mmCIF file of all heavy atoms in Angstrom:
data_model
loop_
_atom_site.group_PDB
_atom_site.id
_atom_site.type_symbol
_atom_site.label_atom_id
_atom_site.label_comp_id
_atom_site.label_asym_id
_atom_site.label_seq_id
_atom_site.Cartn_x
_atom_site.Cartn_y
_atom_site.Cartn_z
ATOM 1 N N LEU A 1398 33.196 47.282 -64.622
ATOM 2 C CA LEU A 1398 31.805 46.829 -64.904
ATOM 3 C C LEU A 1398 31.475 46.592 -66.373
ATOM 4 O O LEU A 1398 30.659 45.656 -66.640
ATOM 5 C CB LEU A 1398 30.899 47.945 -64.239
ATOM 6 C CG LEU A 1398 30.940 48.188 -62.724
ATOM 7 C CD1 LEU A 1398 30.113 49.349 -62.356
ATOM 8 C CD2 LEU A 1398 30.403 46.821 -62.060
ATOM 9 N N MET A 1399 32.021 47.440 -67.229
ATOM 10 C CA MET A 1399 31.795 47.160 -68.561
ATOM 11 C C MET A 1399 32.353 45.814 -69.028
ATOM 12 O O MET A 1399 31.860 45.069 -69.801
ATOM 13 C CB MET A 1399 32.528 48.356 -69.422
ATOM 14 C CG MET A 1399 31.623 49.558 -69.419
ATOM 15 S SD MET A 1399 32.429 50.774 -70.554
ATOM 16 C CE MET A 1399 32.952 51.971 -69.371
ATOM 17 N N ALA A 1400 33.565 45.588 -68.555
ATOM 18 C CA ALA A 1400 34.256 44.246 -68.767
ATOM 19 C C ALA A 1400 33.398 43.103 -68.268
ATOM 20 O O ALA A 1400 33.418 42.014 -68.979
ATOM 21 C CB ALA A 1400 35.658 44.286 -68.109
ATOM 22 N N MET A 1401 32.917 43.208 -67.160
ATOM 23 C CA MET A 1401 32.072 42.022 -66.522
ATOM 24 C C MET A 1401 30.800 41.823 -67.384
ATOM 25 O O MET A 1401 30.493 40.812 -67.711
ATOM 26 C CB MET A 1401 31.663 42.430 -65.144
ATOM 27 C CG MET A 1401 32.772 42.708 -64.182
ATOM 28 S SD MET A 1401 33.844 41.331 -63.895
ATOM 29 C CE MET A 1401 33.005 40.466 -62.752
ATOM 30 N N GLU A 1402 30.189 42.987 -67.927
ATOM 31 C CA GLU A 1402 29.130 42.936 -68.772
ATOM 32 C C GLU A 1402 29.483 42.330 -70.103
ATOM 33 O O GLU A 1402 28.774 41.519 -70.626
ATOM 34 C CB GLU A 1402 28.527 44.279 -69.023
ATOM 35 C CG GLU A 1402 27.160 44.271 -69.735
ATOM 36 C CD GLU A 1402 26.064 43.527 -68.949
ATOM 37 O OE1 GLU A 1402 26.060 43.561 -67.685
ATOM 38 O OE2 GLU A 1402 25.240 43.007 -69.644
ATOM 39 N N ALA A 1403 30.731 42.659 -70.640
ATOM 40 C CA ALA A 1403 31.062 42.007 -71.961
ATOM 41 C C ALA A 1403 31.346 40.501 -71.710
ATOM 42 O O ALA A 1403 31.069 39.702 -72.702
ATOM 43 C CB ALA A 1403 32.378 42.702 -72.384
ATOM 44 N N LEU A 1404 31.858 40.129 -70.568
ATOM 45 C CA LEU A 1404 32.055 38.745 -70.360
ATOM 46 C C LEU A 1404 30.896 37.846 -70.500
ATOM 47 O O LEU A 1404 30.927 36.674 -70.884
ATOM 48 C CB LEU A 1404 32.745 38.427 -69.011
ATOM 49 C CG LEU A 1404 33.203 37.197 -68.623
ATOM 50 C CD1 LEU A 1404 34.339 36.760 -69.494
ATOM 51 C CD2 LEU A 1404 33.680 37.170 -67.112
ATOM 52 N N LYS A 1405 29.706 38.567 -70.287
ATOM 53 C CA LYS A 1405 28.494 37.712 -70.453
ATOM 54 C C LYS A 1405 28.189 37.297 -71.882
ATOM 55 O O LYS A 1405 27.514 36.388 -72.136
ATOM 56 C CB LYS A 1405 27.248 38.474 -69.994
ATOM 57 C CG LYS A 1405 27.234 38.804 -68.424
ATOM 58 C CD LYS A 1405 26.127 39.640 -68.121
ATOM 59 C CE LYS A 1405 26.236 40.004 -66.595
ATOM 60 N NZ LYS A 1405 25.182 41.008 -66.167
ATOM 61 N N ARG A 1406 28.956 37.947 -72.792
ATOM 62 C CA ARG A 1406 28.654 37.543 -74.295
ATOM 63 C C ARG A 1406 29.701 36.554 -74.784
ATOM 64 O O ARG A 1406 29.565 36.129 -75.830
ATOM 65 C CB ARG A 1406 28.924 38.961 -75.094
ATOM 66 C CG ARG A 1406 27.819 39.933 -74.704
ATOM 67 C CD ARG A 1406 27.977 41.283 -75.505
ATOM 68 N NE ARG A 1406 27.263 42.321 -74.931
ATOM 69 C CZ ARG A 1406 25.975 42.617 -75.195
ATOM 70 N NH1 ARG A 1406 25.333 41.854 -76.034
ATOM 71 N NH2 ARG A 1406 25.436 43.623 -74.658
ATOM 72 N N LYS A 1407 30.616 36.080 -73.920
ATOM 73 C CA LYS A 1407 31.471 34.993 -74.277
ATOM 74 C C LYS A 1407 30.595 33.803 -74.233
ATOM 75 O O LYS A 1407 29.966 33.327 -73.287
ATOM 76 C CB LYS A 1407 32.611 34.958 -73.302
ATOM 77 C CG LYS A 1407 33.549 33.805 -73.433
ATOM 78 C CD LYS A 1407 34.456 33.646 -72.264
ATOM 79 C CE LYS A 1407 35.046 32.371 -72.069
ATOM 80 N NZ LYS A 1407 34.310 31.266 -71.896
ATOM 81 N N LYS A 1408 30.647 33.000 -75.372
ATOM 82 C CA LYS A 1408 29.742 31.787 -75.435
ATOM 83 C C LYS A 1408 30.517 30.656 -75.977
ATOM 84 O O LYS A 1408 31.316 30.674 -76.931
ATOM 85 C CB LYS A 1408 28.616 32.107 -76.564
ATOM 86 C CG LYS A 1408 27.774 33.168 -76.199
ATOM 87 C CD LYS A 1408 26.813 32.880 -74.997
ATOM 88 C CE LYS A 1408 25.877 34.107 -74.812
ATOM 89 N NZ LYS A 1408 25.349 34.110 -73.484
ATOM 90 N N ASN A 1409 30.452 29.560 -75.374
ATOM 91 C CA ASN A 1409 30.906 28.245 -75.806
ATOM 92 C C ASN A 1409 32.318 28.083 -76.146
ATOM 93 O O ASN A 1409 32.635 27.187 -77.007
ATOM 94 C CB ASN A 1409 29.994 27.862 -77.106
ATOM 95 C CG ASN A 1409 28.574 27.821 -76.689
ATOM 96 O OD1 ASN A 1409 28.201 27.276 -75.661
ATOM 97 N ND2 ASN A 1409 27.761 28.162 -77.551
ATOM 98 N N TRP A 1410 33.230 28.837 -75.669
ATOM 99 C CA TRP A 1410 34.654 28.705 -75.859
ATOM 100 C C TRP A 1410 35.345 28.822 -74.565
ATOM 101 O O TRP A 1410 35.015 29.428 -73.645
ATOM 102 C CB TRP A 1410 35.216 29.546 -76.890
ATOM 103 C CG TRP A 1410 35.050 31.022 -76.820
ATOM 104 C CD1 TRP A 1410 33.999 31.790 -77.300
ATOM 105 C CD2 TRP A 1410 35.902 31.992 -76.272
ATOM 106 N NE1 TRP A 1410 34.221 33.017 -77.002
ATOM 107 C CE2 TRP A 1410 35.352 33.192 -76.294
ATOM 108 C CE3 TRP A 1410 37.162 31.822 -75.563
ATOM 109 C CZ2 TRP A 1410 35.857 34.327 -75.846
ATOM 110 C CZ3 TRP A 1410 37.626 33.020 -74.993
ATOM 111 C CH2 TRP A 1410 37.123 34.217 -75.226
ATOM 112 N N THR A 1411 36.403 28.110 -74.492
ATOM 113 C CA THR A 1411 37.187 28.021 -73.200
ATOM 114 C C THR A 1411 38.697 28.467 -73.343
ATOM 115 O O THR A 1411 39.265 28.748 -72.339
ATOM 116 C CB THR A 1411 37.277 26.582 -72.594
ATOM 117 O OG1 THR A 1411 37.876 25.719 -73.652
ATOM 118 C CG2 THR A 1411 35.893 26.043 -72.297
ATOM 119 N N HIS A 1412 39.172 28.730 -74.570
ATOM 120 C CA HIS A 1412 40.530 29.259 -74.903
ATOM 121 C C HIS A 1412 40.434 30.344 -75.813
ATOM 122 O O HIS A 1412 39.770 30.424 -76.791
ATOM 123 C CB HIS A 1412 41.234 28.045 -75.482
ATOM 124 C CG HIS A 1412 41.595 26.879 -74.637
ATOM 125 N ND1 HIS A 1412 40.478 25.980 -74.287
ATOM 126 C CD2 HIS A 1412 42.633 26.376 -74.179
ATOM 127 C CE1 HIS A 1412 41.022 25.071 -73.535
ATOM 128 N NE2 HIS A 1412 42.298 25.240 -73.422
ATOM 129 N N GLY A 1413 41.189 31.307 -75.468
ATOM 130 C CA GLY A 1413 41.261 32.559 -76.309
ATOM 131 C C GLY A 1413 41.711 33.823 -75.594
ATOM 132 O O GLY A 1413 42.362 33.759 -74.563
ATOM 133 N N GLU A 1414 41.233 34.961 -76.117
ATOM 134 C CA GLU A 1414 41.552 36.271 -75.574
ATOM 135 C C GLU A 1414 40.399 37.081 -75.553
ATOM 136 O O GLU A 1414 39.492 37.121 -76.405
ATOM 137 C CB GLU A 1414 42.725 36.859 -76.341
ATOM 138 C CG GLU A 1414 44.019 36.430 -76.331
ATOM 139 C CD GLU A 1414 45.135 37.092 -76.918
ATOM 140 O OE1 GLU A 1414 44.939 38.161 -77.584
ATOM 141 O OE2 GLU A 1414 46.237 36.701 -76.855
ATOM 142 N N ILE A 1415 40.357 38.044 -74.608
ATOM 143 C CA ILE A 1415 39.412 39.089 -74.529
ATOM 144 C C ILE A 1415 40.260 40.424 -74.532
ATOM 145 O O ILE A 1415 41.239 40.533 -73.751
ATOM 146 C CB ILE A 1415 38.530 39.107 -73.317
ATOM 147 C CG1 ILE A 1415 37.760 37.731 -73.296
ATOM 148 C CG2 ILE A 1415 37.537 40.342 -73.435
ATOM 149 C CD1 ILE A 1415 36.819 37.699 -72.115
ATOM 150 N N VAL A 1416 40.038 41.321 -75.537
ATOM 151 C CA VAL A 1416 40.804 42.497 -75.715
ATOM 152 C C VAL A 1416 39.909 43.657 -75.507
ATOM 153 O O VAL A 1416 38.812 43.780 -76.136
ATOM 154 C CB VAL A 1416 41.487 42.585 -77.031
ATOM 155 C CG1 VAL A 1416 42.240 43.893 -77.249
ATOM 156 C CG2 VAL A 1416 42.370 41.342 -77.233
ATOM 157 N N PHE A 1417 40.287 44.607 -74.655
ATOM 158 C CA PHE A 1417 39.563 45.859 -74.370
ATOM 159 C C PHE A 1417 40.455 47.000 -74.797
ATOM 160 O O PHE A 1417 41.456 47.309 -74.205
ATOM 161 C CB PHE A 1417 39.300 46.008 -72.836
ATOM 162 C CG PHE A 1417 38.585 44.836 -72.267
ATOM 163 C CD1 PHE A 1417 39.191 43.900 -71.551
ATOM 164 C CD2 PHE A 1417 37.199 44.789 -72.322
ATOM 165 C CE1 PHE A 1417 38.551 42.744 -71.038
ATOM 166 C CE2 PHE A 1417 36.475 43.715 -71.710
ATOM 167 C CZ PHE A 1417 37.150 42.692 -71.133
ATOM 168 N N ASP A 1418 39.961 47.745 -75.953
ATOM 169 C CA ASP A 1418 40.651 48.866 -76.347
ATOM 170 C C ASP A 1418 39.871 50.108 -75.568
ATOM 171 O O ASP A 1418 38.724 50.162 -75.642
ATOM 172 C CB ASP A 1418 40.529 49.093 -77.785
ATOM 173 C CG ASP A 1418 41.521 48.218 -78.619
ATOM 174 O OD1 ASP A 1418 42.552 47.909 -78.089
ATOM 175 O OD2 ASP A 1418 41.101 47.745 -79.637
ATOM 176 N N PHE A 1419 40.634 50.956 -74.884
ATOM 177 C CA PHE A 1419 39.995 52.032 -74.227
ATOM 178 C C PHE A 1419 40.698 53.456 -74.441
ATOM 179 O O PHE A 1419 41.824 53.434 -74.788
ATOM 180 C CB PHE A 1419 39.971 51.732 -72.642
ATOM 181 C CG PHE A 1419 41.205 51.693 -72.111
ATOM 182 C CD1 PHE A 1419 41.900 52.770 -71.521
ATOM 183 C CD2 PHE A 1419 42.121 50.497 -72.070
ATOM 184 C CE1 PHE A 1419 43.207 52.713 -70.883
ATOM 185 C CE2 PHE A 1419 43.325 50.374 -71.527
ATOM 186 C CZ PHE A 1419 43.837 51.548 -70.890
ATOM 187 N N THR A 1420 39.898 54.452 -74.362
ATOM 188 C CA THR A 1420 40.403 55.822 -74.467
ATOM 189 C C THR A 1420 39.546 56.802 -73.678
ATOM 190 O O THR A 1420 38.409 56.465 -73.405
ATOM 191 C CB THR A 1420 40.538 56.224 -75.977
ATOM 192 O OG1 THR A 1420 41.241 57.329 -76.112
ATOM 193 C CG2 THR A 1420 39.116 56.308 -76.569
ATOM 194 N N MET A 1421 40.205 57.867 -73.279
ATOM 195 C CA MET A 1421 39.388 58.854 -72.607
ATOM 196 C C MET A 1421 39.262 60.038 -73.538
ATOM 197 O O MET A 1421 40.231 60.459 -74.204
ATOM 198 C CB MET A 1421 40.289 59.397 -71.421
ATOM 199 C CG MET A 1421 40.371 58.445 -70.359
ATOM 200 S SD MET A 1421 38.891 58.194 -69.426
ATOM 201 C CE MET A 1421 38.444 59.857 -68.827
ATOM 202 N N LYS A 1422 38.057 60.551 -73.796
ATOM 203 C CA LYS A 1422 37.602 61.668 -74.538
ATOM 204 C C LYS A 1422 36.859 62.542 -73.752
ATOM 205 O O LYS A 1422 35.706 62.059 -73.333
ATOM 206 C CB LYS A 1422 36.990 61.272 -75.991
ATOM 207 C CG LYS A 1422 37.880 60.401 -76.703
ATOM 208 C CD LYS A 1422 37.689 60.681 -78.209
ATOM 209 C CE LYS A 1422 38.750 59.797 -78.896
ATOM 210 N NZ LYS A 1422 38.675 59.882 -80.239
#
């Protein structure tokens, strides 16, 4: 769900990477 929400911030580009750094604390 967080990744889907972050995807909404992708603007005007069609090539690249999305990187999610995650940790449990």
Side-chain angles (χ1 to χ4, degrees):
L1398 293 173
M1399 283 185 247
M1401 302 298 276
E1402 189 61 33
L1404 187 60
K1405 294 176 184 176
R1406 299 178 192 274
K1407 175 188 162 296
K1408 303 287 183 204
N1409 301 321
W1410 53 271
T1411 59
H1412 294 66
E1414 289 184 357
I1415 304 176
V1416 177
F1417 303 97
D1418 286 322
F1419 64 96
T1420 190
M1421 290 291 296
K1422 294 216 177 177

